[in-house]
Amino acid sequence: MVRQWSLEYDPPAKPGDVNPLADQTISLKRFTASMDFITDDMVYRPDDYERGVYPYNRWRVRPAEMVGDMLLRDIKAADMFKAAFGPERADDARFVLEGGVSRFLEVDAKENWQAELELSLTLLDRQEKHLPQRILFQKQYEAMIPIKEKGAAGLAKAMSLAMSRISEKVLVDLKLACEKAVLKKQED
């Protein structure tokens, strides 16, 4: 019997009180993943250059889709935008967030095991005509969380905390970058 695991955490708190983005929309394109993580296997690194998977444990959804879904949920919960859409409506929103998961694994050391999550994000403003001006930011986010209980359950818990911490940072960066773009357009 194969057990399936997912990320679970409460959405982060809303970043800030004043909301000049109340009439703006954002969409998340379908996230991609590095070749090592285009799988629902729970990947671990027992030693340098070596990868393994838990044979009777899987992620319920592939990491790229799971991270994208959680981030979309958190953006909606933060209530910063008039609407937040998934990949099916990417062309309808002013702001578009693209991303890729470059690390999503357990790293085993003799003493400490940790969940490592690394995410690359690019935020675009579709109201800008030329590509260089469309890019509001391109950033790497990473979190390394100690695994308290070894095994698939411990990895799922630590990875959930890693995603929660990254999501908090992303929400703050989204708010700042989108507010700046809205104010710039109003000044033009």
Side-chain angles (χ1 to χ4, degrees), residues 47-93:
D47 208 347
D48 292 346
Y49 312 106
E50 186 179 356
R51 299 292 183 271
V53 297
Y54 285 105
Y56 299 106
N57 293 276
R58 303 271 186 277
W59 291 113
R60 177 87 175 106
V61 179
R62 290 180 179 183
E65 287 86 8
M66 191 165 31
V67 167
D69 287 349
M70 297 305 286
L71 200 49
L72 180 59
R73 178 207 70 167
D74 295 347
I75 291 169
K76 287 178 179 180
D79 199 29
M80 293 188 297
F81 298 91
K82 182 174 185 175
F85 304 113
E88 68 283 351
R89 302 280 307 269
D91 293 334
D92 294 339

